[in-house]
């Protein structure tokens, strides 16, 4: 603590000197002194914010905040998960007077958000990833959505659309969030027809355009006719699939504009609905829970509007399940569920609801998925 | 010794003045570039100053970012003394980080004192990084494989190895959504320099630069190595062990980058994962060239580039400029500085700058060393 | 087994198709770089040129609706970058490798800077020819859907080989590359020849970049190039400055890049990072095998810094 005080004293002295030198602090576009009721919010993205994907979804949330009166939003994109993000956050706090920060990439939390949350107790950190644990700083929060609900609905629509009964899923890495999406998608599709299989290809990283295009093509060559993905920017995959005459379901944001012929539906984040509520809470001084989670019911995720090619049967089944999910009466991971090696992973009679901690460490692929987690 | 210093200073002053002029010119060119994209260059300059050097916070930000660059720059600068262009610092950096994480986890499990864990991590990091670049050196010496290309290819391979290891054999099963190795215990982590928010990696970098400067410019070994760089055939005829010199110097360069990777693991990330490969090795190449491959000049250049990096965020946030603005500026500086090198010969500084009549500095150093 | 599946046969087919799809940028960059290196200079900046080409092609195609105009502009932008490289290199005491690295950085930065507004829009893509009409297999049809640029590249390789051996231009290029002094004695300006050769290399790299953004994968973003430009420079060395070898090397490299996804799609799921690294390992191995410390690499231009 004493260390921190000393630093701020020194920085005050220095900025005083700077002011005297003519590069006046007052000339900064927005200094520390903000009018009462106003809030400076910082957004940090790991990739480009117009990527048709993960970062764009968050940036749409930022756009929603910009419309609020008294809220000033600053954004920085393509910030790697290194000391860069620590310094970006600190710079937002020190130079922009940010009181609320959205570090939107999973890897920003540990160690960077944790470190700065301790150092700046009066700043609220809203991290995307759902990582906060008991004992971690009070002003750090982490949220995430049960987007597998939307993936399940996408699976239903895909299950109706496929003719070859073979679906494709292009994913970055075999991590639990990704596996959960693959499994939900597959379970949704197999609820339509248990003969359906999902081929998985892992590209190895979150943004690899040539690999993603190559994976899409090799799926097309294998006779797969509906493809979806979990990578940072689905743009290349959706475009390539459209060229190959495949159907696609989107992810992160709405990619319908990229594939007018093949875009069935998609699993989207609904950050523009969630973020304004965080800001309202911070302004009102209301306590925000450390972990915020939710799915369709809580309006944290949503589905893309159906494409014109989605048939009536598909719409009917998907809408029915969607209504149950919104009412909180539908469980996706409900036993008996076997993995694709034949082991029972969820026993008959066991229902793992969305809040079930077991789902957080999912390490298997369900029956019907072709691929392996290692 | 004293006259040698004066001579050195006189020659250095010319480099310094020309480089400074090149940087100012680059800033002007960059200013014109931003005007064309509709931004007021004065705002840009002011924000760059504020973001990089305008306050104690900004200074720390700058220095923290320069710490890894000091080490990765040496990976290019040291082999360059022998006439080799190595651009594989990124690979040495990530493999160094991976090896350091492995060593650190192994030893911290045995609960030996922190200093020993850190020492072992540093050695492991340096050995791994050194091995990568030394193998480029060995390939050059034994098979005549071009070291620029081979070090680049090795770099891609190292990154693949890192990914394979942290998602396979070395993965911590509880690192759910960001595959990583297990985290080092807090007590084994490198701390900050007292009174600052900068980890001790900065000191490692500074010491490495100073030590290798002394080695390359003030010892017989360094003289011999640079003689190989000047003319391999002459060096062979003088009976110098060319192969061994190449191996040692490339190993040292790789060790510097590997130590950078160790610092990234032991002071910043606390574990090895894919984000270790975030481009410090690439920026290091730029630092080395801007510093004319001189380990001592690497220090101010790394700080300058750290500052440019630190100010990039402010340009994005305040002026809505693309994140690539700083890369454009770096590119412009690089190009203009290279071009200025040839101009340098033709420039005569005022008499009081020149001091003593120039001699070949290598000869002067050799005399000083003997 | 249903009729749409061809099982393991899909692997060689995917590698074949991938070789054609992925190799084109390598082919163009390496053919251009081959000419540059023949003149005795190496341009590592082609990575930056490639990315600038990709960006400008996409931008022009988007604005004008004509992908071919995009290709042309990409070539012109590449030419400018090549001339910049040659111009700086013609100053005394400037290292061509260093200038290359500088231009790699500058080109990449500039492309990302100017390309920011192009991440979102969709530009029209280059057309392709369907050579697979004779087959009922959809896989074969798609594998034989071949882009015009690839065909141009394939045609250019033997033309280059012929031109290098049999034309006055080829002769001048080789003389300049082997000995500046000899060229000067014969009345040719090495600097001027290298300027032309490097500008041409830039043109080809720019066109290679346009393939990335306008055909495969066919859109512009900042992760588009994963080092294709600089790897192509390495390909030239192991192709030993022979245009036909550049073609084979590019195809090999493209096929190796397709290996990872192709194997996964038939169920080989282990170690995809290592498969992803396969092209680099392959290049390194071939470089090691084809080099020697005792003799000059066959076909190497005498003035080329990287082989001395």
């Amino acid at each position: 603590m004493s260390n921190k005080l000393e630093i701020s004293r020194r920085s005050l002295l220095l900025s005083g000197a700077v002011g005297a030198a003519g590069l006046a602090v007052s000339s900064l576009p927005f200094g520390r002194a903000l009018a009462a009721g106003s809030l400076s919010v910082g957004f940090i993205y790991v990739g480009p914010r117009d990527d048709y994907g993960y970062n764009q979804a968050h940036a749409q949330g930022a756009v929603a905040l910009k419309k609020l009166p008294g809220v000033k939003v600053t954004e920085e994109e393509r910030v790697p998960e290194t000391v860069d993000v620590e310094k970006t956050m600190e710079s937002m706090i020190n130079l922009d007077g940010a009181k609320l920060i959205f570090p939107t990439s999973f890897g920003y939390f540990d160690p960077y958000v944790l470190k700065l949350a301790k150092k700046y107790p009066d700043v609220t950190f809203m991290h995307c990833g759902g990582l906060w644990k008991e004992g971690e700083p009070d002003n750090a929060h982490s949220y995430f959505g049960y987007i597998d609900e939307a993936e399940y609905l996408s699976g239903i629509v895909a299950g109706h659309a496929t003719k070859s009964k073979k679906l494709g899923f292009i994913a970055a890495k075999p991590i639990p969030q990704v596996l959960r999406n693959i499994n939900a998608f597959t379970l949704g599709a197999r609820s339509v027809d248990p003969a359906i299989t999902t081929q998985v290809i892992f590209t190895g990283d979150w943004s690899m355009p040539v690999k993603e295009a190559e994976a899409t093509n090799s799926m097309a060559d294998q006779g797969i006719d509906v493809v979806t993905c979990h990578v940072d920017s689905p743009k290349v995959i959706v475009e390539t699939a459209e060229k190959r005459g495949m159907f696609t379901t989107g992810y992160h944001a709405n990619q319908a504009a990229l594939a007018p012929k093949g875009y069935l539906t998609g699993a989207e984040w609904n950050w523009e609905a969630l973020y304004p509520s965080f800001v309202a809470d911070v302004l009102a001084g209301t306590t925000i829970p450390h972990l915020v989670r939710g799915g369709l019911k809580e309006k944290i995720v949503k589905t893309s509007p159906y494409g014109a090619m989605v048939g009536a049967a598909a719409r009917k089944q998907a809408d029915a399940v969607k209504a149950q999910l919104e009412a909180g009466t539908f469980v996706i991971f409900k036993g008996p569920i076997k993995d694709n090696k034949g082991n029972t992973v969820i026993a008959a009679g066991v229902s793992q609801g969305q809040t079930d901690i077991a789902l957080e460490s999912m390490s298997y692929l369900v029956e019907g998925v072709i691929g392996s987690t290692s | 010794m004293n006259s040698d210093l004066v001579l050195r200073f006189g020659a250095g002053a010319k480099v310094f003045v020309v480089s400074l002029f090149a940087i100012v010119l680059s800033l002007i060119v960059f200013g014109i570039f931003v005007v064309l994209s509709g931004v007021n260059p004065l705002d840009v300059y002011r924000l760059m100053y504020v973001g990089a050097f305008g306050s104690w916070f900004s200074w720390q930000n700058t220095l923290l970012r320069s710490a890894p660059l000091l080490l990765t720059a040496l990976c290019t600068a040291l082999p360059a003394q022998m006439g080799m262009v190595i651009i594989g610092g990124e690979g040495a950096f990530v493999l160094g980080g991976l090896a350091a994480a492995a060593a650190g986890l192994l030893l911290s499990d045995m609960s030996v004192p922190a200093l020993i864990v850190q020492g072992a991590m540093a050695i492991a990091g340096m050995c791994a990084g050194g091995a990568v670049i030394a193998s480029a050196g060995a390939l050059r010496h034994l098979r005549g494989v071009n070291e620029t290309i081979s070090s680049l290819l090795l770099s891609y391979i190292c990154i693949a190895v890192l990914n394979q290891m942290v998602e396979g054999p070395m993965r911590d099963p509880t690192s759910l959504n960001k595959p990583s190795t297990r985290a080092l215990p807090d007590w084994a982590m490198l701390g900050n320099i007292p009174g600052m928010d900068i980890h001790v990696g900065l000191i490692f970098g500074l010491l490495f630069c100073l030590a290798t400067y002394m080695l390359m410019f003030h010892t017989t070994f360094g003289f011999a190595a640079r003689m190989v760089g000047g003319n391999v055939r002459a060096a062979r005829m003088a009976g110098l062990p060319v192969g061994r010199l190449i191996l040692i110097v490339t190993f040292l360069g790789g060790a510097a980058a590997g130590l950078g990777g160790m610092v990234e693991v032991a002071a910043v990330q606390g574990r090895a994962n894919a984000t270790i490969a975030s481009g410090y090795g690439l920026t290091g190449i730029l630092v080395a060239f801007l510093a004319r491959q001189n380990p001592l000049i690497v220090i101010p250049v790394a700080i300058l580039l750290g500052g440019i990096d630190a100010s990039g965020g402010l340009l994005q946030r305040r002026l809505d400029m693309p994140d690539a603005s700083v890369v454009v500026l770096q590119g412009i500086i690089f190009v203009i500085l290279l071009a200025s090198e040839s101009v340098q010969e033709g420039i005569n500084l005022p008499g009081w700058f020149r001091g003593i009549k120039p001699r070949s500095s290598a000869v002067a150093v050799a005399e000083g060393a003997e | 087994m249903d009729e749409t599946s061809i099982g393991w046969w899909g692997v060689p087919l995917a590698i074949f198709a991938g070789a054609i799809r992925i190799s084109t940028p390598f082919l163009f960059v390496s053919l251009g770089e081959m000419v540059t290196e023949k003149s005795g200079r190496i341009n590592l900046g082609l990575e930056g040129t490639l990315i600038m080409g990709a960006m400008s092609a996409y931008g022009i195609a988007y604005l004008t609706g004509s992908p071919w105009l995009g290709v042309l502009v990409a070539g012109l932008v590449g030419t400018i970058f090549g001339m910049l490289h040659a111009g700086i290199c013609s100053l005394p005491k400037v290292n061509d490798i260093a200038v290359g690295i500088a231009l790699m950085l500058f080109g990449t930065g500039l492309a990302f800077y100017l390309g920011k507004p192009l991440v979102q829009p969709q530009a029209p893509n280059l057309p392709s020819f369907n050579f697979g009409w004779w087959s009922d297999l959809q896989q074969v049809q798609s594998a034989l859907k071949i882009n015009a640029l690839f065909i141009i590249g394939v045609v250019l390789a033997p033309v280059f080989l012929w031109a290098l051996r049999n034309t006055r231009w080829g002769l001048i290029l080789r003389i300049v590359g082997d000995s500046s002094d000899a060229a000067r004695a014969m009345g040719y300006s090495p600097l001027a020849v290298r300027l032309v050769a490097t500008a041409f290399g830039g043109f080809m790299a720019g066109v290679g970049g346009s393939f990335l953004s306008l055909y495969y994968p066919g859109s512009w973003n900042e992760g588009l190039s994963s080092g294709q430009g600089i790897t192509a420079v390495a390909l030239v060395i192991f192709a030993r400055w022979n245009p036909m070898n550049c073609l084979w090397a590019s195809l090999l490299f493209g096929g190796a890049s397709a290996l990872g996804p192709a194997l996964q799609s038939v169920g080989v799921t282990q170690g995809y990072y290592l498969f992803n690294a396969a092209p680099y390992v392959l290049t390194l191995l071939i470089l090691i095998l084809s080099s020697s410390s005792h003799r000059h690499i066959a076909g190497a231009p005498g003035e080329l810094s990287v082989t001395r």
Side-chain angles (χ1 to χ4, degrees):
Chain A
M1 267 294 120
S2 65
N3 193 12
K4 191 206 143 212
L5 281 176
E6 193 183 314
I7 285 167
S8 61
R9 185 172 53 82
R10 247 188 271 177
S11 67
L12 267 179
L13 282 174
L14 266 166
S15 55
V18 169
L23 291 149
V25 172
S26 57
S27 72
L28 294 177
F30 15 84
R32 234 162 273 199
L34 283 156
S38 71
L39 183 67
S40 174
V41 184
F43 270 84
I44 306 168
Y45 313 109
V46 74
R49 63 178 168 234
D50 42 8
D51 62 354
Y52 264 108
Y54 185 85
N55 299 293
Q56 180 173 325
H58 287 294
Q60 284 167 354
V63 169
L65 296 193
K66 286 178 191 164
K67 291 177 190 144
L68 300 177
V71 175
K72 190 86 206 169
V73 177
T74 51
E75 295 166 280
E76 207 173 312
E77 59 186 346
R78 281 167 60 82
V79 179
E81 294 167 353
T82 61
V83 88
D84 280 31
V85 66
E86 182 184 318
K87 288 297 154 188
T88 291
M89 289 190 281
E90 216 169 350
S91 175
M92 284 172 161
I93 295 166
N94 283 330
L95 302 179
D96 300 348
K99 287 284 175 241
L100 172 62
I101 292 186
F102 285 87
T104 60
S105 183
F106 187 88
Y108 288 163
F109 192 71
D110 185 8
Y112 313 110
V113 168
L114 290 177
K115 186 174 167 191
L116 288 188
K118 282 194 199 95
K119 193 170 169 185
Y120 297 96
D122 59 335
V123 176
T124 308
F125 294 85
M126 297 299 310
H127 167 261
C128 180
L131 280 179
W132 192 87
K133 286 195 298 288
E134 203 57 53
E136 286 175 348
D138 217 32
N139 52 330
H141 308 259
S142 200
Y143 56 88
F144 207 64
Y146 301 126
I147 200 162
D148 51 326
E149 294 180 352
E151 282 290 348
Y152 188 87
L153 298 175
S154 289
I156 294 175
V157 177
H160 280 280
T162 180
K163 290 195 181 63
S164 66
K165 304 294 173 203
K166 296 205 291 191
L167 314 179
F169 201 117
I170 297 165
K173 291 167 188 261
I175 59 172
Q177 281 169 9
V178 172
L179 299 179
R180 189 164 167 177
N181 280 337
I182 297 171
N183 290 338
F185 179 78
T186 308
L187 289 172
R190 285 165 71 91
S191 76
V192 178
D193 180 349
I196 290 174
T197 59
T198 305
Q199 167 77 53
V200 179
I201 292 184
F202 294 107
T203 57
D205 224 324
W206 296 103
S207 177
M208 308 206 85
V210 175
K211 284 259 143 49
E212 288 157 12
E214 200 44 43
T216 315
N217 270 305
S218 78
M219 284 181 167
D221 290 344
Q222 293 289 324
I224 286 163
D225 58 358
V226 187
V227 69
T228 189
C229 62
H230 187 159
V231 297
D232 269 358
S233 171
K235 189 180 183 212
V236 163
I237 293 171
V238 171
E239 284 176 340
T240 310
E242 180 82 351
K243 275 182 226 161
R244 293 294 305 258
M246 300 154 95
F247 289 120
T248 42
T249 72
Y251 191 61
H252 289 316
N254 190 339
Q255 291 100 26
L258 299 175
K261 287 194 300 247
Y263 192 84
L264 300 168
T265 180
E268 294 181 46
W269 302 106
N270 200 4
W271 302 134
E272 58 267 43
L274 182 68
Y275 290 174
S277 75
F278 287 154
V279 169
D281 286 347
V282 169
L283 282 174
T286 322
T287 330
I288 308 173
H290 288 111
L291 278 173
V292 179
R293 284 181 167 270
L296 289 162
K297 184 182 167 198
E298 293 80 7
K299 299 208 175 352
I300 292 182
V301 303
K302 61 182 177 185
T303 54
S304 313
Y306 299 121
M309 70 301 282
V310 178
R315 287 170 195 248
K316 195 178 156 213
Q317 188 184 347
D319 283 341
V321 177
K322 189 176 178 185
Q324 288 180 54
L325 282 167
E326 280 169 344
T329 56
F330 189 89
V331 178
I332 296 173
F333 293 96
K334 187 173 166 193
I337 291 181
K338 279 187 184 166
D339 70 8
N340 62 356
K341 294 176 193 126
N343 310 315
T344 302
V345 283
I346 301 177
V350 176
S351 280
Q352 293 181 345
Q354 288 297 35
T355 53
D356 196 317
I357 197 79
L359 297 178
E360 302 288 316
S361 55
M362 189 173 279
S363 60
Y364 54 86
L365 291 164
V366 297
E367 190 178 10
V369 180
I370 305 166
S372 129
T373 54
S374 60
Chain B
M1 207 62 225
N2 216 3
S3 66
D4 179 46
L5 266 180
V6 176
L7 163 83
R8 182 156 296 287
F9 194 73
K14 191 166 163 184
V15 173
F16 179 76
V17 170
V18 172
S19 304
L20 199 69
F21 181 74
I23 289 170
V24 170
L25 185 65
S26 309
L27 282 171
I28 294 171
V29 172
F30 183 63
I32 296 169
F33 177 76
V34 285
V35 168
L36 292 179
S37 45
V39 180
N40 180 351
L42 295 179
D43 283 343
V44 173
Y45 298 144
R46 187 172 52 77
L47 284 176
M48 287 185 67
Y49 175 75
V50 169
F53 307 110
S55 65
W56 176 232
F57 165 75
S58 298
W59 261 106
Q60 294 192 93
N61 188 353
T62 296
L63 290 174
L64 186 64
R65 287 171 195 258
S66 66
L69 303 182
L70 291 170
L71 289 163
T72 52
L74 291 178
C75 188
T76 302
L78 295 178
Q81 298 296 336
M82 308 193 66
M84 301 170 79
V85 181
I86 295 279
I87 56 174
E90 186 82 2
F93 187 88
V94 300
L95 217 61
L98 185 69
L105 290 171
L106 200 70
L107 283 177
S108 60
D109 286 348
M110 303 195 296
S111 54
V112 292
L115 219 53
I116 294 181
V117 177
Q118 291 161 355
M121 287 179 74
I123 291 170
M126 291 199 284
C127 286
V132 175
I133 304 303
S135 51
L139 285 174
R140 160 72 181 249
H141 180 64
L142 299 175
R143 300 277 320 167
V145 177
N146 173 252
E147 75 286 352
T148 310
I149 306 289
S150 70
S151 64
L152 176 79
L153 294 170
L154 282 169
S155 184
Y156 285 120
I157 296 168
C158 288
I159 293 171
V161 168
L162 168 80
N163 281 321
Q164 190 71 35
M165 291 304 280
V166 297
E167 292 189 21
M170 285 175 68
R171 178 169 179 184
D172 171 9
T174 63
S175 68
L176 293 177
N177 287 313
K178 186 176 180 187
S180 308
T181 63
R182 277 184 301 131
L184 286 170
D186 278 343
W187 56 264
M189 295 280 289
L190 291 174
N192 280 349
I193 302 171
M196 296 187 209
D197 195 19
I198 305 170
H199 55 69
V200 293
L202 180 68
I203 294 179
F204 291 2
L206 294 174
L207 290 179
F208 218 120
C209 286
L210 289 174
T212 49
Y213 170 74
M214 294 305 287
L215 177 73
M216 296 310 287
F217 289 92
H218 292 281
T219 65
T220 331
F221 173 86
F223 176 63
R226 285 183 299 130
M227 198 169 159
V228 175
N231 187 336
V232 184
R233 222 165 289 160
R236 278 217 179 86
M237 283 201 298
L240 291 176
V242 174
R244 203 192 319 156
L245 287 169
I246 286 182
L247 277 186
I248 293 175
V249 172
T250 45
F251 183 88
L252 268 181
L259 184 64
M262 176 267 178
V263 169
E264 183 69 15
V265 167
V268 180
Q269 308 262 1
R271 53 182 74 80
N273 56 38
T275 39
I276 304 180
S278 53
Y280 290 124
L282 302 177
T283 317
I285 303 170
L286 174 66
V287 174
F289 274 99
L290 296 190
R292 314 267 155 109
Q293 316 291 4
N294 181 325
L296 204 58
I297 307 182
V298 160
I299 297 172
V301 174
I303 293 173
L304 177 73
L305 283 190
I308 292 178
D309 224 20
S311 63
L314 219 49
L315 296 184
Q316 268 198 62
R317 303 204 301 270
R318 298 281 171 83
L319 301 177
D320 209 22
M321 290 170 72
D323 60 285
S325 311
V326 294
V327 189
V328 173
L329 174 60
Q330 288 173 353
I332 293 174
I333 295 180
F334 201 163
V335 170
I336 290 182
L337 221 82
L338 283 174
S340 79
E341 259 176 70
S342 67
V343 179
Q344 201 175 311
E345 296 299 308
I347 294 179
N348 273 320
L349 293 176
W352 52 271
F353 254 130
R354 262 177 289 158
I356 302 166
K357 271 203 165 51
R359 293 185 289 170
S360 153
S361 63
V363 174
V365 175
E367 284 167 6
E370 247 115 47
Chain C
M1 197 122 247
D2 56 291
E3 74 282 3
T4 53
S5 170
I6 54 172
W8 273 89
W9 282 109
V11 176
L13 192 67
I15 292 174
F16 171 76
I20 290 173
R21 281 192 292 255
I22 300 175
S23 65
T24 310
F26 292 116
L27 179 58
F28 273 81
V29 180
S30 63
L31 282 177
E33 176 71 4
M34 190 273 306
V35 172
T36 307
E37 289 187 19
K38 272 285 182 194
S39 79
R41 207 174 259 156
I42 185 163
N43 182 3
L44 284 180
L46 291 187
E47 175 71 22
T49 313
L50 180 92
I51 299 174
M52 268 308 282
M55 189 280 296
S56 44
Y58 200 73
I60 295 296
Y62 169 66
L63 291 174
T64 65
S66 160
W68 287 109
L69 199 62
V71 174
L72 184 70
V73 171
L76 292 178
V77 169
T79 310
I80 294 170
F81 265 75
M83 286 167 72
L84 191 59
H85 183 273
I88 299 169
C89 284
S90 55
L91 297 170
K93 293 190 63 172
V94 173
N95 176 312
D96 53 354
I97 294 184
V99 177
I101 297 170
L103 286 180
M104 184 186 339
L105 192 76
F106 182 58
T108 309
L110 194 62
F112 288 2
Y113 187 103
L114 300 174
K116 197 60 82 189
L118 295 172
V119 178
Q120 282 263 308
Q122 267 186 306
N125 276 5
L126 288 168
S128 56
F129 300 112
N130 194 352
F131 290 103
W133 46 267
W134 47 270
S135 170
D136 293 334
L137 278 175
Q138 195 239 335
Q139 291 90 337
V140 175
Q141 283 190 15
S142 80
L144 288 175
K145 216 165 161 195
I146 290 171
N147 177 261
L149 276 180
F150 176 75
I151 298 166
I152 294 174
V154 171
V155 172
L156 281 181
V159 170
F160 276 30
L161 185 68
W162 176 83
L164 270 179
R165 290 189 178 157
N166 300 308
T167 65
R168 193 165 145 263
W169 273 100
L171 186 69
I172 296 172
L173 192 67
R174 283 186 293 144
I175 291 172
V176 168
D178 281 331
S179 166
S180 303
D181 295 338
R184 247 178 251 119
M186 293 171 70
Y188 299 115
S189 157
L191 288 181
V193 173
R194 285 179 189 149
L195 178 78
V196 174
T198 316
F200 179 76
F203 178 87
M204 294 289 281
V207 173
S210 73
F211 178 87
L212 282 176
S213 62
L214 292 181
Y215 188 71
Y216 196 75
S219 77
W220 162 250
N221 68 57
E222 285 149 350
L224 195 58
S225 166
S226 46
Q228 281 99 325
I230 198 154
T231 325
V233 177
L235 290 186
V236 177
I237 296 174
F238 93 63
R240 297 184 181 201
W241 301 274
N242 177 324
M244 286 312 284
N245 286 350
C246 285
L247 172 61
W248 306 134
S250 303
L251 284 172
L252 188 68
F253 210 86
S257 305
L259 190 63
L263 281 177
Q264 276 195 56
S265 70
V266 294
V268 180
T269 52
Q270 300 287 321
Y272 44 83
Y273 286 107
L274 301 183
F275 284 123
N276 287 356
Y280 306 111
V281 178
L282 196 70
T283 313
L284 187 61
L285 281 180
I286 296 180
L287 264 182
I288 294 171
L289 293 175
S290 64
S291 305
S292 161
S293 58
H294 303 301
R295 58 186 159 79
H296 231 54
I297 305 177
E303 290 276 317
L304 195 61
S305 56
V306 289
T307 54
R308 276 191 294 187

